[in-house]
Amino acid sequence: MKLFKLATALAFGLCVLSALANANAAEDRSIRPFKAQVPQAALEDLRRRIAETRWPDRETVDDQSQGIQLAKIKPLVEYWGASYDWRKAEAKLNALPQFMTTIDGVDIHFIHVRSRYPNALPLIMTHGWPGSVFELLKTVGPLTDPTAHGGRAEDAFDLVLPSLPGFGFSGKPTDTGWAPDRIARTWAELMKRLGYTRYLAQGGDWGSPVSNAMGRLAPAGLLDIHINLPAIVPPEIAAVLAAGGPAPAGLTEKERATFDALSASAKMGNRSYAVMMGTRPQTIGYGLMDSPVGLAAWMLGHPGFSRWTYSESDPEKSPDEVLDDITLYWLTDTATSASRIYWEYGGRSPAFAGPEMTSEISLPVAITVFPGESYRAPETWARRAYRNLIYFHEVDKGGHFAAWEQPELFSAELRAAFKPLRQDK
């Protein structure tokens, strides 16, 4: 009987392995053209839902400590329901070459813009949450056509801008395990399918742990990574912050300033959204998937998103850009699937990578620190985290969504960061 059970188990296991092998072999590896085409009925339903919003009463404080303020979100929503035009956002996407390919059972949507200049360096860039490929679109011109934006022909890049699994027009994973390492392997496969044998990776927000994972896994052809959210808080500092303790002795002036900023942010609950998505993404999804205003309020609860949206330094900025992003989440029904990346990452924010994410990276690493970031990472911490840090630069403007906020400066930073690779060719 035992032998029979063992034989049965072995036969079943072989069947499973055979099925998996057949599934992988059967996976459509083609790269298919894609156009964004949202049905008009979906846009009409969105406006109807906005018009039927049940508003909460006003907050009882004069700041955002209870969440996005009613006086800030209500005018934005009123414009969203009455005047905002999604078709213009759709046209922005459709003006660029878009594609779809299936990797590891999930459809991956991506924008692929080849530069007209020979010897352009291929670069894959990863967006974050509550961002999307929209946050990277302003860099397409400066990076692929540098001579029109103050650069040189030899500064050109080919750009690959994928939508994270579960985000935007990419497919929604139906299994678990879609943490940064699996996404990194997916991106490596994507670059391989595109025929690139040498390329670079860049990311901020979730693009930071994904790019770190790519650097650690070092797939064939990856030369260098650049990140603009260097999540490099030393373990002993992270432990003190978690306990709510005072700043340790011996910190430099910059380290102390960073510690104080992180401590203040923790006391204000600025990352409460990450805690919720990291523990109960399904629960919050029931509300976010049913109410467009609830979705907008949740996304605007991200400090970097909210600060940029309501930037006092740029009062003329159109609300369309942030609504393009929020509307994309709504129309693709991805509020819940996008939230799960926090759960997959063990409930952590991408702003706090453990040392295991960086200590094994031997590839060259470049970092740009923007002043409006979640925290300004000191160079001393960066050099502890990355043993092959070849570029570290602090700039004077821009924030968490650096490519969106300061596309020209962001692009200039990438040219400078990756310049040694061109010289070494």
Side-chain angles (χ1 to χ4, degrees):
M1 181 62 71
K2 287 183 179 180
L3 287 173
F4 175 78
K5 288 183 177 180
L6 178 60
T8 302
L10 286 172
F12 177 75
L14 289 172
C15 288
V16 170
L17 290 173
S18 176
L20 289 172
N22 290 335
N24 289 334
E27 183 172 270
D28 183 359
R29 297 169 58 86
S30 66
I31 294 175
R32 310 175 293 277
F34 176 83
K35 290 284 186 183
Q37 295 175 317
V38 172
Q40 184 61 30
L43 301 178
E44 292 169 1
D45 177 69
L46 171 59
R47 285 199 167 184
R48 177 187 62 78
R49 288 171 181 266
I50 291 172
E52 295 176 356
T53 298
R54 295 178 60 190
W55 291 99
D57 54 310
R58 184 190 178 280
E59 61 281 353
T60 56
V61 293
D62 294 325
D63 56 27
Q64 286 199 183
S65 60
Q66 293 183 354
I68 188 71
Q69 293 158 295
L70 185 64
K72 285 188 173 182
I73 191 172
K74 199 167 185 179
L76 181 70
V77 169
E78 289 172 348
Y79 172 79
W80 192 16
S83 304
Y84 170 74
D85 185 359
W86 163 257
R87 296 302 182 195
K88 292 181 179 179
E90 209 170 59
K92 289 181 196 176
L93 294 173
N94 291 337
L96 299 169
Q98 297 176 87
F99 302 91
M100 197 78 78
T101 191
T102 306
I103 302 176
D104 200 2
V106 174
D107 285 341
I108 301 297
H109 163 260
F110 64 99
I111 295 167
H112 184 202
V113 183
R114 294 185 186 271
S115 174
R116 62 190 175 96
Y117 296 104
N119 301 319
L121 277 173
L123 172 64
I124 184 167
M125 298 205 299
T126 308
H127 66 82
W129 184 95
S132 65
V133 290
F134 275 120
E135 73 184 74
L136 304 173
L137 296 190
K138 290 181 180 179
T139 67
V140 172
L143 291 173
T144 62
D145 189 11
T147 59
H149 297 269
R152 306 166 303 164
E154 54 265 38
D155 292 327
F157 295 89
D158 282 355
L159 282 188
V160 179
L161 311 177
S163 295
L164 286 164
F167 287 69
F169 291 108
S170 279
K172 302 170 188 176
T174 57
D175 60 345
T176 60
W178 283 93
D181 278 28
R182 190 169 178 181
I183 297 170
R185 287 190 288 269
T186 299
W187 281 190
E189 172 62 21
L190 174 59
M191 297 304 278
K192 182 179 177 181
R193 286 190 191 180
L194 293 174
Y196 291 125
T197 56
R198 46 194 311 276
Y199 64 94
L200 311 162
Q202 195 286 325
D205 196 85
W206 280 110
S208 177
V210 170
S211 298
N212 276 330
M214 293 185 76
R216 193 177 65 258
L217 297 171
L222 180 63
L223 305 176
D224 195 343
I225 67 172
H226 175 278
I227 53 178
N228 58 284
L229 175 60
I232 50 176
V233 180
E236 71 275 13
I237 300 295
V240 173
L241 288 166
L251 296 181
T252 67
E253 183 178 342
K254 284 192 173 182
E255 290 170 347
R256 176 59 189 262
T258 302
F259 179 91
D260 290 344
L262 287 167
S263 180
S265 178
K267 290 175 182 176
M268 290 178 65
N270 282 348
R271 290 183 176 80
S272 55
Y273 66 90
V275 174
M276 285 295 295
M277 289 191 291
T279 55
R280 295 293 184 272
Q282 192 71 16
T283 299
I284 64 171
Y286 295 118
L288 303 185
M289 299 287 286
D290 192 56
S291 168
V293 177
L295 173 64
W298 185 255
M299 294 172 69
L300 290 166
H302 185 291
F305 202 58
S306 181
R307 275 197 300 269
W308 177 56
T309 308
Y310 300 106
S311 172
E312 295 178 1
S313 63
D314 189 8
E316 301 300 318
K317 183 166 57 62
S318 166
D320 285 8
E321 288 187 65
V322 72
L323 288 175
D324 289 347
D325 191 61
I326 296 171
T327 307
L328 177 65
Y329 277 75
W330 176 261
L331 294 175
T332 55
D333 298 325
T334 49
T336 307
S337 55
S339 298
R340 292 192 185 112
I341 193 170
Y342 287 85
W343 185 88
E344 294 285 1
Y345 201 48
R348 292 177 292 172
S349 160
F352 297 97
E356 74 280 1
M357 292 297 293
T358 61
S359 61
E360 297 177 12
I361 298 176
S362 59
L363 288 176
V365 176
I367 289 174
T368 301
V369 176
F370 290 85
E373 187 48 274
S374 305
Y375 60 91
R376 300 181 69 167
E379 187 172 358
T380 51
W381 292 1
R383 294 204 175 276
R384 278 186 59 183
Y386 298 101
R387 62 191 186 203
N388 194 7
L389 183 65
I390 62 168
Y391 182 87
F392 184 93
H393 191 214
E394 296 181 72
V395 295
D396 60 358
K397 55 186 176 180
H400 187 74
F401 294 98
W404 219 348
E405 301 169 48
Q406 298 292 335
E408 296 284 352
L409 175 59
F410 179 87
S411 300
E413 278 297 297
L414 294 195
R415 293 178 202 143
F418 294 131
K419 187 174 181 180
L421 290 176
R422 300 181 192 272
Q423 294 172 335
D424 291 343
K425 262 187 82 172

